[in-house]
Amino acid sequence: MENGPRGAIIQRDRATYAIVPRTPAGIVSPEDLENIVKVVRRYEIPVIKMTSGQRMVLVGIKEEDVENIWNELGMTVGQATAPCVHYVQACPGTVVCRYGKQDSLGLGLGLEEMYQTMNLPAKLKMGISGCPRCCGESYLRDIGVVGTAKGWTVIIGGNSGGRPRIGDVMAKDLSDDEARDLVRRLLEYYRDHGRPGERTARFVERVGLDAIRKDVLAFAPYVPVEETRSE
Ligand code: SF4
């Protein structure tokens, strides 16, 4: 992305680009949608693809059109290649879902806003779910948070890629503030101790869960859980 037009990813044809407008937790406004439709028609963008990260990729853009498209969209660039938070996916939670136990959408939007510019060793994805049904895929994301009737469960080290890994539970039954505090501690620890290019799944395997717990949870006002792979 760095050597091409702003916020653009070169495609397989080595001639056209894709862009990913930032849509925190998959939320878009009517204005966003209208602007997307306008640029897709005006610049004859051939493909609009929904991603697993609750984002919309516009694919097949000519290099000379990229900057004009960003200006007409009026949306910020969603990260797609840089070592940072790429996205926070969140299910609707108590905002609309009848199964919801916690406000996953509110927590997800807050975390996305807070950490979208944080530099990290590698790309990082978060998944926030409003109940143990886990529609936010929280156990398969670098940082996962799951709502229960007792509060939030925070998870680290999940990955759904070529070397998949189910994340480890760090703490349970947390309040909103405690969950945000633990996510911050985990991100800062990973930022300070991760190797370049090392995703959290490999980081947890290398450093060890006990070491992470010992350092991250020192002086934390909540108690870690003993089990690591299940609730
Ligand atoms: S995880 Fe629970 S609250 Fe979220 S969408 Fe699924 S069923 Fe609803």
Side-chain angles (χ1 to χ4, degrees):
M1 187 183 281
E2 291 75 11
N3 298 322
R6 178 170 70 100
I9 309 152
I10 190 72
Q11 295 300 284
R12 186 182 175 91
D13 60 12
R14 311 305 294 174
T16 63
Y17 290 82
I19 64 170
V20 188
R22 179 175 164 233
T23 53
I27 297 293
V28 289
S29 68
E31 292 74 24
D32 291 336
L33 293 175
E34 285 167 355
N35 288 335
I36 288 168
V37 170
K38 279 182 197 162
V39 300
V40 164
R41 292 209 165 115
R42 180 170 300 146
Y43 295 94
E44 299 179 336
I45 299 171
V47 177
I48 310 170
K49 176 78 177 71
M50 309 301 295
T51 77
S52 57
Q54 302 179 334
R55 306 198 293 181
M56 212 178 291
V57 188
L58 310 184
V59 186
I61 299 172
K62 298 186 196 78
E63 180 170 358
E64 61 270 26
D65 291 338
V66 170
E67 192 61 30
N68 288 337
I69 288 171
W70 278 124
N71 291 336
E72 292 177 34
L73 277 176
M75 300 170 76
T76 53
V77 175
Q79 297 299 331
T81 58
C84 61
V85 174
H86 280 201
Y87 61 76
V88 178
Q89 66 185 99
C91 80
T94 50
V95 172
V96 293
C97 180
R98 70 190 174 107
Y99 298 114
K101 301 295 184 192
Q102 302 291 337
D103 180 11
S104 45
L105 202 49
L107 183 66
L109 286 168
L111 291 173
E112 200 271 353
E113 178 69 28
M114 194 167 297
Y115 297 112
Q116 50 145 335
T117 59
M118 186 180 199
N119 290 319
L120 294 165
K123 67 180 175 185
L124 185 136
K125 303 172 180 178
M126 295 193 215
I128 318 298
S129 302
C131 85
R133 286 176 173 80
C134 222
C135 299
E137 302 177 306
S138 308
Y139 282 88
L140 297 176
R141 297 294 172 246
D142 295 277
I143 298 286
V145 188
V146 180
T148 72
K150 293 182 177 176
W152 295 105
T153 299
V154 175
I155 300 149
I156 185 170
N159 193 298
S160 63
R163 283 177 67 192
R165 183 175 192 277
I166 296 172
D168 293 294
V169 173
M170 292 296 293
K172 289 172 149 181
D173 306 340
L174 305 183
S175 68
D176 289 359
D177 286 345
E178 289 171 342
R180 276 190 286 267
D181 177 72
L182 181 49
V183 170
R184 175 186 61 76
R185 288 167 183 255
L186 289 169
L187 287 174
E188 290 176 354
Y189 189 79
Y190 170 57
R191 177 196 64 193
D192 295 342
H193 296 86
R195 292 172 177 166
E198 183 179 52
R199 294 288 298 273
T200 60
R202 307 290 85 83
F203 173 71
V204 170
E205 290 169 354
R206 177 174 64 82
V207 175
L209 205 58
D210 289 344
I212 296 173
R213 280 208 177 102
K214 181 169 169 286
D215 290 345
V216 171
L217 296 173
F219 310 112
Y222 35 84
V223 179
V225 294
E226 295 305 318
E227 68 269 38
T228 59
R229 290 297 176 90
S230 63
E231 292 212 83

